[in-house]
Amino acid sequence: MPEFIAPQRFTDAAAAFAQVELIYKSGLKHLRDAMLAFVAGETLPGRVRACYPFVRVHTHTSARGTAANGLSYGFVAGPGRFETTLTRPDLFRRYYQEQFRLLLENHGMELEVGTSTQPIPIHFSFAENDHIEGSMSVERRALMRDVFDLPDLGAMDDGIANGTHEARPGEAQPLALFTAARVDYSLHRLRHYTGTVPDWFQNFVLFTNYQFYIDEFVRLGREAMTDESSEYIAFIEPGNVVTRRRGMAPGACSADFAALLDGTQGTPPPRLPQMPGYHLVREDHSGISMVNIGVGPANAKTITDHIAVLRPHAWMMLGHCAGLRPSQQLGDYVLAHAYVREDHVLDEELPLWVPIPALSEIQLALEQAVEQITQVSGPDLKKIMRTGTVASTDNRNWELLPGNQPQRRFSQSRAVALDMESATIAANGFRFRVPYGTLLCVSDKPLHGEIKLPGMANHFYRERVEQHLRIGMAAIDILRREGSSRLHSRKLRSFAEVAFQ
């Protein structure tokens, strides 16, 4: 075991964070040193273990200070003991310090920081470019379980986020939606699915279901890097390929990104990952990440399950849809204000009777952005953008089912558009308390005989993709200017909510 660090109490957020960092780094060093010895063939003296740091608060009253005014987070629900395990202080520095500060100001008590009893799985101790386990024989790898702690799915479930978690007698109430092990699991999955390290992810995320949007985002990202006055400092592509802003000297950016930007510049992968990610980076993490999730609700759930641990300020879906109304034209926009969930991928975690509300802050930003980019306003705006219900299905060929049943259901729901991802992204945003929105573009009208033919489709993509993407980016500009505190709405918080945003 690494040297035991006794729990200590703090009234200063920075000091509490420094203690978290000390415990975490000590544990990681212990695990990495032992792993190097194990790979070299040494026989280790017994089991090797290090545990995550924790933060804990004790409150004795439901009263809270003024720091919570206007915020839907930063305070516990009432008297009691609350705690959570923590990981990757290098990645979550700003986030942890802000949550600590709010707790201290709202409750006027001390933060207790110590070493938890939750082991750090050996896989989660590897640095980004460490692949030392690959040099071991199959027999040697099989012995790892006898020496090190491996990932335990029992410590990673989403009961807290789902609202089904019940603390055992004597157990502390949760302070955050995710345990440290659950966060680490998702950070490793993000590398696999997007081809970029989670450090690059920004606080505003765009999802799309077509590569055309990514091609345009790449063009705009690279273009921004040629502008020395750009608000963005870097553009990142899969393989962690870094394009720095022209004229920016090494070490000129904040500490958050200095080491990444001044290190290796990445290598383009031989083939794109399953859901490639791209990042327009701002120094304060308020830039834009964009992920091509492909087609289907399974991918939409998978990637949002993992991005949620990064606690973004908002995510939005930009993609194509089938228009269901005869009055719609190809190229029209649909701003979703409700969702019909026939995707089925979240039925176990989020019952269908749970409504998924539209969030006014996102809705207004998207509507303003459409006006700004298209230069259409007032009554004329309704001619190119319909606000209404979007249905998401897991059946790509729904229109071929006999008996006209899907069409009847969609008509009864008053749906104006259909896709396969938007309801999933919105539902997971609701589930994980991440503000969400959807702006789709009508690319075909299968119920009315208008399907995409190759030539028409190519013309449509050229005409609409750039404009649609610029609308999404403009909406993020509006949300950024208004401030993130307005985004994290109480509409997404449950009765007894965790304190961490």
Side-chain angles (χ1 to χ4, degrees):
M1 292 285 288
E3 180 184 353
F4 177 75
I5 302 176
Q8 296 185 32
R9 297 179 182 274
F10 299 89
T11 57
D12 178 75
F17 176 81
Q19 187 71 356
V20 169
E21 201 168 31
L22 175 66
I23 294 171
Y24 183 77
K25 286 183 176 180
S26 173
L28 248 59
K29 183 179 187 306
H30 175 71
L31 290 176
R32 289 175 179 173
D33 289 348
M35 186 63 181
L36 288 171
F38 181 80
V39 170
E42 296 182 23
T43 300
L44 302 180
R47 192 164 189 82
V48 176
R49 171 171 288 174
C51 294
Y52 289 107
F54 74 82
V55 62
R56 176 187 297 149
V57 297
H58 296 265
T59 60
H60 305 286
T61 175
S62 297
R64 55 179 182 260
T66 58
N69 287 350
L71 290 180
S72 61
Y73 58 90
F75 49 88
V76 298
R81 178 166 59 96
F82 301 82
E83 68 179 59
T84 189
T85 49
L86 305 169
T87 188
R88 289 294 306 274
D90 58 317
L91 176 60
F92 293 104
R93 177 183 305 275
R94 289 176 184 236
Y95 174 74
Y96 285 161
Q97 290 198 28
E98 175 67 3
Q99 308 313 307
F100 291 179
R101 180 188 67 80
L102 289 171
L103 283 170
L104 289 167
E105 292 183 13
N106 279 318
H107 295 290
M109 43 50 173
E110 297 174 314
L111 298 178
E112 184 179 348
V113 176
T115 304
S116 73
T117 58
Q118 188 178 88
I120 302 175
I122 187 64
H123 299 77
F124 299 162
S125 71
F126 297 158
E128 172 59 28
N129 296 312
D130 285 349
H131 304 290
I132 55 178
E133 77 283 4
S135 62
M136 292 188 292
S137 66
V138 173
E139 295 75 18
R140 191 66 174 164
R141 285 201 299 272
L143 293 175
M144 284 179 62
R145 186 178 296 275
D146 297 333
V147 182
F148 300 100
D149 290 294
L150 304 188
D152 174 13
L153 294 180
M156 302 179 197
D157 70 65
D158 283 330
I160 302 171
N162 292 343
T164 59
H165 172 80
E166 293 185 8
R168 296 185 295 270
E171 183 183 23
Q173 296 291 328
L175 199 55
L177 290 178
F178 304 107
T179 64
R182 168 67 169 84
V183 173
D184 272 340
Y185 178 77
S186 283
L187 297 182
H188 278 252
R189 292 288 81 198
L190 283 175
R191 295 187 185 98
H192 169 73
Y193 286 121
T194 70
T196 59
V197 295
D199 309 60
W200 291 121
F201 269 84
Q202 301 296 287
N203 273 322
F204 294 94
V205 184
L206 295 175
F207 298 110
T208 188
N209 51 8
Y210 278 94
Q211 181 63 31
F212 301 97
Y213 287 84
I214 295 296
D215 294 342
E216 185 62 23
F217 190 66
V218 169
R219 186 186 72 79
L220 293 174
R222 292 175 178 171
E223 183 181 279
M225 293 304 97
T226 66
D227 179 4
E228 294 187 16
S229 63
S230 172
E231 61 188 318
Y232 300 104
I233 61 172
F235 181 62
I236 315 301
E237 301 177 57
N240 299 305
V241 176
V242 178
T243 303
R244 297 165 59 97
R245 188 182 66 203
R246 179 182 294 171
M248 191 176 69
C253 63
S254 67
D256 288 347
F257 293 113
L260 286 167
L261 284 174
D262 295 339
T264 60
Q265 299 302 293
T267 304
R271 62 191 62 82
L272 285 176
Q274 183 175 344
M275 289 178 273
Y278 302 78
H279 313 278
L280 259 175
V281 178
R282 284 171 58 107
E283 289 205 58
D284 61 357
H285 290 265
S286 67
I288 305 171
S289 293
M290 190 165 194
V291 181
N292 180 5
I293 60 176
V295 176
N299 277 0
K301 177 185 183 298
T302 297
I303 199 64
T304 48
D305 279 349
H306 299 314
I307 291 178
V309 306
L310 298 172
R311 310 314 298 141
H313 292 323
W315 61 40
M316 292 184 285
M317 175 68 188
L318 301 181
H320 294 161
C321 65
L324 300 181
R325 302 301 180 94
S327 59
Q328 290 171 305
Q329 303 296 320
L330 300 188
D332 284 357
Y333 293 113
V334 174
L335 178 59
H337 75 178
Y339 301 89
V340 174
R341 294 168 52 201
E342 292 199 359
D343 52 346
H344 302 300
V345 294
L346 279 167
D347 291 359
E348 293 184 22
E349 289 90 353
L350 193 67
L352 285 172
W353 51 260
V354 175
I356 309 300
L359 303 182
S360 60
E361 296 83 3
I362 305 285
Q363 298 295 97
L364 290 171
L366 283 169
E367 184 172 348
Q368 291 170 25
V370 173
E371 291 187 14
Q372 175 184 322
I373 299 300
T374 64
Q375 296 294 295
V376 176
S377 60
D380 289 338
L381 188 63
K382 294 183 178 181
K383 297 177 182 178
I384 65 166
M385 186 182 75
R386 183 81 173 257
T387 300
T389 298
V390 170
S392 289
T393 179
D394 58 356
N395 186 344
R396 178 61 185 86
N397 296 312
W398 58 273
E399 63 267 42
L400 302 181
L401 291 174
N404 205 34
Q405 292 182 3
Q407 294 96 308
R408 185 181 298 119
R409 290 199 305 276
F410 297 145
S411 177
Q412 288 175 315
S413 72
R414 313 304 196 264
V416 300
L418 181 85
D419 77 347
M420 299 184 70
E421 302 85 22
S422 294
T424 310
I425 288 170
N428 241 8
F430 180 90
R431 176 177 167 230
F432 291 130
R433 289 74 161 170
V434 177
Y436 50 85
T438 300
L439 184 71
L440 301 175
C441 188
V442 176
S443 61
D444 61 337
K445 296 169 59 182
L447 297 184
H448 310 287
E450 294 189 47
I451 61 175
K452 290 193 293 281
L453 300 174
M456 181 178 68
N458 289 336
H459 176 75
F460 167 78
Y461 295 139
R462 287 195 301 270
E463 289 289 311
R464 271 292 179 262
V465 166
E466 178 184 4
Q467 183 184 78
H468 195 183
L469 178 58
R470 287 186 180 275
I471 290 170
M473 296 174 71
I476 288 174
D477 286 339
I478 293 168
L479 294 172
R480 187 189 295 126
R481 289 196 301 269
E482 291 179 347
S484 61
S485 62
R486 292 189 65 242
L487 272 174
H488 297 283
S489 168
R490 287 183 172 86
K491 287 193 286 287
L492 299 182
R493 312 290 281 184
S494 63
F495 294 165
E497 191 59 66
V498 298
F500 279 25
Q501 174 255 309

